[in-house]
Amino acid sequence: MATPKFYRFQLTEGMELQITVSGSSNGLARADFRLKNCNRTWILHWGCIYQGNNSWFVPSEHSSRQGALQSPFVKSGDSYVLILELRDPRVRAIEFVLKDGSHNRWLKLHDGNFRIDIPQIDLQSSRHLIPKNLIDHRAYQIWERKGRPRNSPHEQQQDYEAAVRELQEELAKGMSLDELQNKDTIKDRRPMSNERNQTGYLPPSSYRRKHDVQKWLQKYAEPLNKSGSVSISSLVDLVKRSAENIVSQQSFHVRNHEIVVFQRNIRGDCRLLIATNMRGSTFLHWGVAKSSLREWLIPPPDVVPEKSKMVHGACQTHFTDISSREGSYQFVDINFKRGGFAGIQFVIWSSGSWINNNGSNFSVNMKSSDSGGNINADGKHILKWLLNEIAQREKEAERSLMHRFNIATEFTERCKDEGVWGLISIMVWMRYMATRHLIWNKNYNVKPREISEALERFTNLLERIYLMQPNKREITRLIMALVGRGGQGDVGQRIRDEILDIQRNNDCKTGMMEEWHQKLHNNSSADDVIICEALLNYVRSDFRIDAYWQTLKANGLTKEKLSSYDRPILSEPRFRSDAKEGLIRDLTMYLKTLKAVHSGADLESAVETFLSPSKGHNALTINGLSPKLQDSLSLVKRHIRDENFDPLLEKLLEARIELHPALRAPRTRAKDLIFLDIALESTVRTTIEKRLRSLNFSNPPEIMFFISLVLENLCLSTFNNEEIIYCTKDWHRVSETYRSNDVQWALQTKAVLDRLQLILADNCQNYYRTIQPTAEYLGHSLCIDKHAINVFTEEVIRAGPGAALSTLINRFDPVLRKIANLGCWQIISSADASGFVVCVNELITVQNKIYSKPTVIVANKVSGEEEIPDGVVAVLTPSMPDVLSHVSIRARNSKICFATCFDQHVFWKLKSKEGRAISIHTKSTDLVISDGISSDDFVRIIHITSGPEEYKGKSFCGKYVISLEEFTSERVGSKSCNIKFLRGKVPSWIKIPMSIAVPFGSFESVLSDNANKDVANKIQTLKNAINGGDLTKLKAIQEAILQMTAPMALMNELKNRIRSERMPWFGDEASWNRSWLAIKKVWASKWNERAYLSCKKTKLNHDAVSMAVLIQEAICGDYAFVIHTNNPISGDSSEIYTEIVKGLGETLVGAYPGRAMSFITKKTNLRSPAVITYPSKRIGLYSKPSIIFRSDSNSEDLEGYAGAGLYDSVLMDEANEVVLDYSKERLVTDKAFQVSLFSRIAETGDVIERLYGCPQDIEGVVKDGTVHVVQARPQV
């Protein structure tokens, strides 16, 4: 880069002009002018000086003629500023004078011009300033000139260096970058990809470069966890420990402050608990609302809490401090009794300053938790009051778009604090309008200016919500994408004025043009954009009328629609042939005017609005955005219709990347930035869809690059995008390690795609859960077409950035499976079977059913936690439950065929056989399915006889807590006994955690205590109902158990034993409360539905199940694993099969989505583990040093019934969910580390199997390289 130059000029009246001139980040020159001590606006009158010529020239980006430009200074703080950017490297200097616009006088330098010289950049340093896509095009042309040889990577690099040299030489001769871009683009109009595929040419270097997507991370105040609920912060967790009967909660984050509000129902009274992590003297300044949240009323005296006073129309209440070992916070507790308040508004005074909600009051809706008003008949959340009002006012809204947008503004203002449901309601309404399911105009005339201004008010409100409520940005963008930008002043008026100019200039004042003119004057709409485009295509095609109708039809306009307007269009267009050029010119300009009002998502309109002057400056200047953005937008605008899609996609993405930081913080003209990004995203999507048609899926590098672009676009489009970013980083990693036909590479790549499929499926489910109920309720209220209602959310998803990724994954997955030798099935439980096909959506919905004939269940979804129904001989699904999940183990134990299908076409074909008989034959890695039933398999149905002999409950030993030395089979289950057996027998490098237990009979003893008499009676009543067949009472028993009171002896014994074993326990009341709750949860899990049904299926007496609780130090490890020393998939006893996850093992044994990493080790060669799947688990669980309470029943390892996994294990301290990033995970990327660790784990399994003399199921943890075994049991 050249050294910047600095100039200072002393002017009249004490003014000073400071100028800094430098080379910019992309090889262009930049001059920053600053006028100081100035009290009015001045204008820079300037021109460029080229080498060898002293005349003034206008910069080449505007024209090549001699002349000058005038640019006004803009007020900025105490100074006036102006920035000039020069895109022509031939410019050697700028000469200028200053003009005082208000007094019409000129200011010169000693009767001459001011002059500043442009720093010259040396040729060598210009290399990295030449755009990458320009170098790529030139390298491609050099390769063509050589005859398109099959180049090696080294030869490709030589072409690339030659391209750089050629471009440097042309720049030195005075050509501009724009001229070089135009020159190379004109030369090469063909798609590069097809020729590359035919010749083996790999993507050039810029196509392989990867962006640092970590910089794009966005996490907002209310991120969603795996279940779709709000993640719990440390403050929320802390307050919840002492708060009961919580109905709803709301969180606010302002700078470093967190504020949580819990609405509670205490004996019928409504109470608000407001807590914060602020320090020092703090008080709540608040008022109540009765009919609308916009109200601020003085609270009545009977609800004012202690430590309060009334001031200036509000109440001020001081916060109360509370602290414990876990942390401290301040709170205010307000009892609103049964006063029927709508909510409260408040601000907080703390440490000498007011804390508000980004410029607004904090607002809490106390009626939002009223299920009667917000839950529809199916139990799904909707904002019923708003939807009812929308339906009531639709008759008013259909009068004109002005009415509709004014009503939308009113409703949006009223519901903006109703959570996301209010904006979802507005979005659904606007989408029904945008898709023409609602009337736009009916018996009402309105000026375009009035529509434009109404739209401007609506989008200004959406802009404020976007800036002030980040967690609502996604739904706000969905709304903005459905409407135009609008505008004040003459923006809308130009629609009326310019149509008259077109008619006058081109002699078309009658017929269709006059009909259109009348419509425009009385009710302009987005349809006018389509009509204008149709007219342009008609004129450009030499007045072919079919071009007009084809354009209208492609955009949903028919003759019937045109004739239905209040001012109908009945005629076809007719123009004089000599008016062609004038019509094209005038209609093109008019199209821009129409789009400026009606087309928020139109790229050309958005770019023009963004870059056009506004009060003397453009959005780039006032927002301080990078010049690179302007370059990218200019190139995009110029090449938007090119057929070479990959460079265009890169340039679109570059523009979004440059724009991204500005969208995350409040700025002037933020609305223009939002509409620009929406338009860019829309154009990216349509370009991706076009490129999909020519992709060569047999060429992995091409597909990998293209998926990289799609993923990067998805990162930029997703709010709370942490997991997408981690997947994109991982995708970049596998892209860089590509090796042709490499099995391990294909397995790693497939794991990333599997995880992405889970994310996309989860996002779809979230959309259906949050949007579809509102679409159905409002659609039925407005009498919308049934099909449009049913596909509403589907259409929203298809229009999103994830749809193309789903298509790419589905088409690339078979390629990867072929490379990895996977086939289209993964066998989880190998067994031949014959039966009749029954299709279900979720396996869990039929787990209680009994089938009278052999049945093959084809299930769209299997979580891993279900029971397999009686009579089922096979379960086939596209879901990917862990091989060691509950349902997988049950299938293997019962010799039921269980397999995952990876091919959608195969699965669809299978579903088409519903009701018919099929036979399944399992191979090592595939299934062979044929029609009809094999006679050998027909009789194979699982018959359960009686339960295990001599199975009976256990009695209480008289102690509530026992040490490891006291473990016996009469006191504890096999988990505890096995831990005792292993301790002292395993080598010193295998660690066994310290353990104690609550023995059998303790639950029954506590329940019989007089303090729990009422609970015992309630449980007995509920058990009677269950024995009568009412399984809904199982949950009630679990809840009743949680109400039990502990005997003092149990508490004392537990505290003493934990201290003596030096487990991580504080010993205070809070620790005891959490421990006691964990013990009760383990006891209660005996009555979970899955466990109860398992007992019933195996004829096992549920009352005879006794539950001990194994208490261990929770090893907070780096990894958790499960070993099966006899390969459960193949049945090969010479192989050890292991699955491993990051963090705690609950994500492995529980129903957490995604696959664990798995490997097989031959017992004859423990140092050579073979990885068979790579991880796609989405989250890891991590805990601070704590204690875990494990279920340990007397039914753990009964023959014919495996109780392991049926009952719960509970951490004393809740684990934190962490979104996993595998891009730098050593298990995946470091082969030496992987082999070393996996060999050690396999050796652990081999050692323990030898100790027992039979195959073992072993759970363990790895912490800092050390293996800890937490339980072992015989493998079943």
Side-chain angles (χ1 to χ4, degrees):
M1 297 292 290
T3 303
K5 294 185 177 181
F6 182 75
Y7 297 85
R8 178 182 282 114
F9 299 99
Q10 298 298 330
L11 309 176
T12 61
E13 302 176 3
M15 291 190 300
E16 181 178 277
L17 176 62
Q18 298 176 355
I19 309 171
T20 302
V21 192
S22 60
S24 71
S25 60
N26 54 3
L28 312 178
R30 173 181 170 125
D32 292 74
F33 293 76
R34 181 174 294 273
L35 265 177
K36 306 191 76 174
N37 305 325
C38 178
N39 56 14
R40 58 184 178 275
T41 301
W42 288 73
I43 297 171
L44 190 79
H45 183 85
W46 61 285
C48 295
I49 304 297
Y50 290 104
Q51 188 170 5
N53 193 328
N54 290 326
S55 299
W56 283 22
F57 285 85
V58 173
S60 62
E61 58 180 324
H62 296 278
S63 71
S64 57
R65 59 183 175 80
Q66 290 188 14
L69 292 173
Q70 289 190 350
S71 303
F73 284 82
V74 177
K75 187 81 163 77
S76 177
D78 296 333
S79 307
Y80 283 78
V81 298
L82 172 66
I83 298 173
L84 298 182
E85 293 167 355
L86 303 175
R87 290 162 173 74
D88 188 343
R90 296 173 298 172
V91 175
R92 292 294 178 262
I94 297 174
E95 287 193 2
F96 64 90
V97 294
L98 295 169
K99 180 181 179 182
D100 183 348
S102 58
H103 295 82
N104 196 26
R105 60 182 178 129
W106 299 86
L107 190 60
K108 299 183 177 182
L109 180 66
H110 309 307
D111 295 326
N113 300 327
F114 294 91
R115 178 185 174 107
I116 54 175
D117 294 323
I118 305 299
Q120 296 304 300
I121 302 172
D122 64 84
L123 191 62
Q124 189 58 35
S125 69
S126 68
R127 169 177 178 149
H128 73 281
L129 305 175
I130 303 173
K132 287 286 187 182
N133 71 314
L134 189 54
I135 301 174
D136 292 337
H137 275 290
R138 184 59 62 88
Y140 180 79
Q141 291 167 0
I142 291 172
W143 170 73
E144 276 197 315
R145 292 201 298 264
K146 289 181 177 180
R148 305 180 189 172
R150 187 175 294 275
N151 279 348
S152 67
H154 176 69
E155 289 168 327
Q156 290 177 36
Q157 187 61 34
Q158 287 180 330
D159 288 350
Y160 191 85
E161 296 294 337
V164 171
R165 288 193 297 273
E166 283 188 12
L167 291 167
Q168 286 176 329
E169 290 170 2
E170 291 175 18
L171 282 172
K173 293 176 181 177
M175 290 190 72
S176 69
L177 288 176
D178 279 355
E179 289 170 329
L180 288 174
Q181 287 276 17
N182 289 330
K183 173 184 174 184
D184 277 32
T185 304
I186 291 169
K187 280 184 179 180
D188 177 26
R189 287 287 182 181
R190 292 161 297 175
M192 292 169 61
S193 58
N194 291 338
E195 294 165 297
R196 284 204 309 274
N197 297 338
Q198 294 165 8
T199 61
Y201 186 78
L202 292 173
S205 60
S206 79
Y207 290 5
R208 296 194 297 267
R209 79 176 186 275
K210 308 296 184 293
H211 296 287
D212 183 6
V213 296
Q214 188 70 39
K215 294 179 180 177
W216 309 342
L217 182 65
Q218 297 183 109
K219 293 173 69 175
Y220 294 122
E222 297 177 358
L224 296 180
N225 63 20
K226 73 183 183 78
S227 64
S229 58
V230 177
S231 297
I232 300 174
S233 72
S234 57
L235 177 62
V236 170
D237 187 33
L238 192 60
V239 179
K240 265 190 170 180
R241 292 175 186 174
S242 58
E244 297 178 345
N245 300 73
I246 295 172
V247 176
S248 65
Q249 70 180 61
Q250 191 170 348
S251 298
F252 303 96
H253 295 257
V254 181
R255 300 193 294 276
N256 296 324
H257 305 306
E258 183 176 7
I259 303 153
V260 295
V261 183
F262 292 103
Q263 183 174 342
R264 302 184 296 155
N265 190 312
I266 308 294
R267 293 182 294 277
D269 286 350
C270 176
R271 302 180 74 115
L272 281 191
L273 180 68
I274 303 168
T276 180
N277 59 359
M278 299 174 193
R279 306 292 184 187
S281 178
T282 305
F283 62 78
L284 188 77
H285 186 85
W286 60 286
V288 298
K290 285 204 168 183
S291 59
S292 167
L293 277 180
R294 291 176 292 176
E295 293 178 328
W296 180 300
L297 306 174
I298 299 173
D302 61 333
V303 305
V304 174
E306 296 180 357
K307 300 167 61 176
S308 300
K309 64 178 181 179
M310 308 306 293
V311 291
H312 309 302
C315 181
Q316 289 185 353
T317 304
H318 284 270
F319 280 79
T320 300
D321 290 308
I322 188 169
S323 61
S324 66
R325 289 192 178 187
E326 289 77 21
S328 61
Y329 60 91
Q330 299 189 76
F331 74 93
V332 168
D333 191 3
I334 308 174
N335 185 357
F336 287 96
K337 302 180 180 178
R338 306 185 188 195
F341 294 98
I344 71 167
Q345 293 195 59
F346 65 89
V347 293
I348 294 176
W349 174 269
S350 181
S351 302
S353 62
W354 289 102
I355 310 298
N356 59 38
N357 189 15
N358 295 312
S360 299
N361 298 329
F362 295 103
S363 174
V364 177
N365 182 2
M366 291 161 58
K367 289 189 175 180
S368 62
S369 61
D370 176 8
S371 60
N374 294 311
I375 305 296
N376 68 4
D378 298 323
K380 297 172 182 176
H381 204 123
I382 60 173
L383 200 58
K384 194 176 292 185
W385 71 261
L386 177 59
L387 298 177
N388 288 339
E389 288 200 34
I390 288 174
Q392 290 167 9
R393 296 186 64 180
E394 175 58 29
K395 286 294 183 184
E396 178 185 353
E398 67 185 21
R399 297 176 72 188
S400 74
L401 291 178
M402 177 192 73
H403 290 83
R404 187 173 299 279
F405 293 133
N406 283 338
I407 296 170
T409 303
E410 176 194 335
F411 283 152
T412 304
E413 184 68 51
R414 288 172 57 192
C415 74
K416 66 181 181 182
D417 296 315
E418 293 272 8
V420 73
W421 311 106
L423 289 183
I424 286 175
S425 303
I426 299 297
M427 185 278 290
V428 170
W429 188 36
M430 288 295 102
R431 187 169 180 86
Y432 279 138
M433 178 271 297
T435 52
R436 298 189 177 87
H437 291 291
L438 300 175
I439 296 172
W440 290 6
N441 173 235
K442 190 173 184 180
N443 302 324
Y444 195 92
N445 295 335
V446 60
K447 301 181 180 71
R449 173 177 55 79
E450 294 170 328
I451 296 174
S452 179
E453 290 173 352
L455 191 50
E456 168 88 349
R457 286 189 292 273
F458 183 43
T459 53
N460 283 348
L461 175 57
L462 293 173
E463 175 192 57
R464 292 197 300 276
I465 294 171
Y466 183 95
L467 296 175
M468 296 172 63
Q469 301 184 45
N471 59 309
K472 296 178 182 175
R473 287 183 177 177
E474 182 174 5
I475 194 69
T476 305
R477 278 176 63 106
L478 286 176
I479 300 172
M480 294 180 74
L482 297 169
V483 299
R485 180 181 288 101
Q488 295 285 347
D490 68 340
V491 176
Q493 183 61 32
R494 288 203 301 269
I495 292 177
R496 295 190 71 170
D497 296 343
E498 291 177 14
I499 186 63
L500 295 172
D501 292 338
I502 294 172
Q503 290 182 283
R504 181 172 55 253
N505 294 343
N506 300 280
D507 192 19
C508 50
K509 298 179 182 180
T510 60
M512 177 269 171
M513 289 298 286
E514 179 56 23
E515 293 169 353
W516 187 33
H517 161 227
Q518 291 301 321
K519 178 199 178 299
L520 288 162
H521 270 230
N522 291 284
N523 218 305
S524 180
S525 69
D527 284 355
D528 295 314
V529 175
I530 300 169
I531 293 170
C532 190
E533 289 174 335
L535 288 171
L536 270 169
N537 289 338
Y538 166 64
V539 176
R540 287 170 178 153
S541 67
D542 288 326
F543 307 103
R544 282 180 31 244
I545 196 63
D546 60 321
Y548 171 76
W549 288 113
Q550 285 171 5
T551 305
L552 292 177
K553 184 178 179 181
N555 290 277
L557 289 186
T558 62
K559 287 184 179 180
E560 292 73 22
K561 182 64 179 176
L562 295 179
S563 63
S564 70
Y565 299 138
D566 276 5
R567 301 301 174 98
I569 300 176
L570 304 172
S571 308
E572 292 185 336
R574 292 286 183 271
F575 300 117
R576 295 200 328 260
S577 58
D578 61 352
K580 179 177 179 179
E581 290 187 10
L583 283 165
I584 291 175
R585 179 190 65 246
D586 291 349
L587 287 171
T588 299
M589 295 301 297
Y590 193 53
L591 182 62
K592 293 181 179 180
T593 298
L594 290 168
K595 285 182 174 181
V597 174
H598 295 300
S599 302
D602 178 76
L603 182 60
E604 291 180 80
S605 176
V607 171
E608 188 154 323
T609 300
F610 180 75
L611 296 178
S612 65
S614 175
K615 299 180 181 178
H617 46 277
N618 63 33
L620 187 78
T621 304
I622 64 175
N623 283 295
L625 300 173
S626 74
K628 189 175 180 180
L629 174 59
Q630 191 164 356
D631 293 337
S632 298
L633 293 176
S634 298
L635 284 168
V636 164
K637 201 173 170 186
R638 192 158 53 239
H639 300 297
I640 192 64
R641 292 176 177 80
D642 284 2
E643 304 250 338
N644 197 355
F645 297 120
D646 291 350
L648 174 61
L649 271 176
E650 284 199 287
K651 196 55 63 178
L652 286 163
L653 279 173
E654 279 183 18
R656 293 202 71 195
I657 291 166
E658 292 298 317
L659 190 59
H660 191 252
L663 293 168
R664 299 171 64 176
R667 289 172 179 264
T668 308
R669 288 184 72 184
K671 185 167 71 173
D672 291 339
L673 303 181
I674 299 167
F675 273 119
L676 175 60
D677 192 58
I678 290 171
L680 287 166
E681 180 191 56
S682 175
T683 308
V684 167
R685 186 176 67 252
T686 55
T687 307
I688 286 171
E689 290 168 354
K690 292 175 184 176
R691 181 69 174 93
L692 276 171
R693 301 167 194 158
S694 60
L695 280 175
N696 180 3
F697 281 86
S698 63
N699 181 19
E702 179 182 350
I703 305 306
M704 299 292 285
F705 157 68
F706 193 71
I707 291 178
S708 292
L709 296 181
V710 175
L711 279 172
E712 288 168 2
N713 182 61
L714 189 58
C715 288
L716 295 167
S717 299
T718 304
F719 298 87
N720 291 317
N721 61 0
E722 183 178 20
E723 190 170 12
I724 290 291
I725 280 180
Y726 292 160
C727 287
T728 304
K729 289 167 63 179
D730 211 17
W731 188 258
H732 288 169
R733 177 186 62 80
V734 295
S735 298
E736 292 163 358
T737 58
Y738 167 72
R739 292 190 301 274
S740 179
N741 296 315
D742 182 83
V743 172
Q744 289 298 305
W745 172 84
L747 288 173
Q748 291 186 38
T749 305
K750 178 165 170 43
V752 183
L753 292 186
D754 287 347
R755 185 179 182 185
L756 286 166
Q757 279 185 310
L758 290 172
I759 295 170
L760 292 175
D762 192 49
N763 289 345
C764 287
Q765 288 176 357
N766 183 54
Y767 264 37
Y768 273 105
R769 185 173 63 251
T770 57
I771 295 175
Q772 189 62 24
T774 295
E776 291 173 0
Y777 188 91
L778 185 60
H780 292 309
S781 299
L782 297 176
C783 301
I784 302 295
D785 174 72
K786 184 177 180 181
H787 176 73
I789 296 173
N790 293 339
V791 301
F792 185 93
T793 303
E794 180 183 338
E795 294 297 328
V796 173
I797 293 168
R798 276 194 205 163
L805 178 60
S806 180
T807 301
L808 283 164
I809 292 173
N810 290 335
R811 293 180 64 182
F812 194 38
D813 187 73
V815 176
L816 295 173
R817 283 191 278 108
K818 184 177 180 181
I819 296 172
N821 303 314
L822 291 178
C824 65
W825 292 94
Q826 181 186 22
I827 312 300
I828 299 173
S829 173
S830 179
D832 291 352
S834 293
F836 295 89
V837 174
V838 173
C839 297
V840 300
N841 189 41
E842 297 183 25
L843 179 60
I844 197 169
T845 60
V846 295
Q847 67 175 353
N848 302 342
K849 195 167 182 177
I850 298 175
Y851 292 93
S852 59
K853 57 184 179 181
T855 299
V856 176
I857 292 287
V858 178
N860 291 333
K861 182 179 179 182
V862 175
S863 72
E865 291 295 284
E866 304 91 342
E867 284 295 322
I868 297 176
D870 283 344
V872 170
V873 296
V875 177
L876 308 177
T877 178
S879 297
M880 298 180 289
D882 284 311
V883 172
L884 302 182
S885 66
H886 173 78
V887 72
S888 303
I889 294 171
R890 280 286 183 271
R892 288 192 292 270
N893 290 347
S894 304
K895 303 297 186 289
I896 293 172
C897 177
F898 185 28
T900 293
C901 181
F902 295 119
D903 192 315
Q904 283 188 355
H905 298 291
V906 171
F907 192 69
W908 289 336
K909 186 176 180 181
L910 187 61
K911 290 176 72 174
S912 71
K913 298 178 183 291
E914 183 165 20
R916 292 154 54 186
I918 63 170
S919 294
I920 303 169
H921 176 64
T922 57
K923 292 185 176 181
S924 58
T925 60
D926 209 354
L927 288 185
V928 177
I929 299 175
S930 57
D931 291 336
I933 285 190
S934 166
S935 58
D936 295 336
D937 291 332
F938 185 77
V939 296
R940 202 186 71 73
I941 306 176
I942 302 168
H943 294 287
I944 304 298
T945 57
S946 61
E949 294 182 8
E950 299 182 2
Y951 176 73
K952 58 183 180 180
K954 303 290 184 177
S955 58
F956 182 51
C957 67
K959 290 184 178 181
Y960 285 115
V961 184
I962 60 176
S963 65
L964 182 76
E965 292 74 20
E966 298 173 285
F967 289 2
T968 68
S969 60
E970 290 301 312
R971 293 179 172 182
V972 292
S974 58
K975 281 181 187 174
S976 302
C977 291
N978 288 335
I979 286 294
K980 180 181 179 180
F981 173 81
L982 290 174
R983 196 169 185 83
K985 290 186 173 62
V986 295
S988 60
W989 57 270
I990 300 176
K991 305 300 180 184
I992 307 294
M994 298 299 299
S995 304
I996 59 177
V998 176
F1000 292 140
S1002 297
F1003 166 72
E1004 290 78 7
S1005 175
V1006 172
L1007 187 62
S1008 66
D1009 190 275
N1010 193 54
N1012 294 311
K1013 182 178 179 180
D1014 291 341
V1015 174
N1017 291 334
K1018 183 176 182 180
I1019 289 175
Q1020 186 57 52
T1021 301
L1022 293 168
K1023 284 172 64 177
N1024 293 337
I1026 292 169
N1027 292 334
D1030 186 0
L1031 298 187
T1032 62
K1033 297 299 189 290
L1034 287 168
K1035 184 70 175 174
I1037 287 185
Q1038 295 180 66
E1039 292 172 352
I1041 290 172
L1042 297 184
Q1043 302 303 315
M1044 289 169 59
T1045 301
M1048 187 62 68
L1050 191 158
M1051 180 173 68
N1052 291 334
E1053 288 182 40
L1054 183 64
K1055 288 182 177 180
N1056 291 334
R1057 286 292 183 188
I1058 287 179
R1059 287 195 188 102
S1060 66
E1061 298 295 342
R1062 297 181 179 178
M1063 291 184 177
W1065 199 64
F1066 291 117
D1068 59 4
E1069 184 177 356
S1071 295
W1072 155 250
N1073 288 336
R1074 295 198 302 279
S1075 299
W1076 173 230
L1077 179 61
I1079 291 170
K1080 290 189 290 184
K1081 285 182 177 179
V1082 174
W1083 285 343
S1085 68
K1086 172 183 170 179
W1087 279 270
N1088 75 67
E1089 185 176 7
R1090 194 182 70 194
Y1092 183 84
L1093 291 173
S1094 293
C1095 285
K1096 189 176 179 181
K1097 283 179 64 175
T1098 54
K1099 307 286 195 321
L1100 194 68
N1101 181 4
H1102 184 262
D1103 288 338
V1105 175
S1106 295
M1107 186 70 70
V1109 182
L1110 174 61
I1111 304 172
Q1112 294 178 314
E1113 176 186 357
I1115 310 298
C1116 309
D1118 306 307
Y1119 310 103
F1121 60 82
V1122 174
I1123 304 170
H1124 279 60
T1125 60
N1126 186 345
N1127 189 338
I1129 301 175
S1130 64
D1132 190 340
S1133 61
S1134 70
E1135 293 178 341
I1136 297 173
Y1137 177 85
T1138 307
E1139 291 192 342
I1140 186 168
V1141 295
K1142 295 185 69 175
L1144 298 175
E1146 177 59 23
T1147 61
L1148 181 55
V1149 299
Y1152 283 76
R1155 281 275 172 82
M1157 190 172 187
S1158 61
F1159 60 95
I1160 292 173
T1161 317
K1162 288 288 185 181
K1163 293 175 184 176
T1164 55
N1165 187 5
L1166 296 174
R1167 301 298 173 190
S1168 298
V1171 176
I1172 57 174
T1173 62
Y1174 283 87
S1176 59
K1177 288 285 183 186
R1178 299 174 60 186
I1179 65 171
L1181 294 176
Y1182 293 87
S1183 169
K1184 64 183 180 181
S1186 186
I1187 299 173
I1188 189 167
F1189 298 78
R1190 300 183 185 276
S1191 58
D1192 193 20
S1193 74
N1194 60 342
S1195 61
E1196 287 287 313
D1197 300 309
L1198 292 176
E1199 186 176 351
Y1201 175 85
L1206 284 177
Y1207 308 110
D1208 294 344
S1209 295
V1210 182
L1211 268 174
M1212 181 179 73
D1213 297 287
E1214 191 169 350
N1216 295 318
E1217 293 185 351
V1218 176
V1219 180
L1220 294 176
D1221 180 0
Y1222 295 110
S1223 62
K1224 295 182 180 178
E1225 170 52 50
R1226 293 183 70 191
L1227 273 187
V1228 177
T1229 63
D1230 188 334
K1231 186 67 175 178
F1233 174 80
Q1234 180 192 99
V1235 170
S1236 173
L1237 179 60
F1238 288 1
S1239 299
R1240 206 174 323 135
I1241 292 172
E1243 187 178 355
T1244 300
D1246 191 55
V1247 166
I1248 292 176
E1249 183 184 58
R1250 290 176 187 275
L1251 283 173
Y1252 280 101
C1254 64
Q1256 292 292 300
D1257 174 352
I1258 303 159
E1259 294 183 24
V1261 175
V1262 178
K1263 181 177 176 62
D1264 300 328
T1266 300
V1267 175
H1268 301 254
V1269 172
V1270 298
Q1271 58 176 295
R1273 55 180 171 266
Q1275 181 178 335
V1276 292

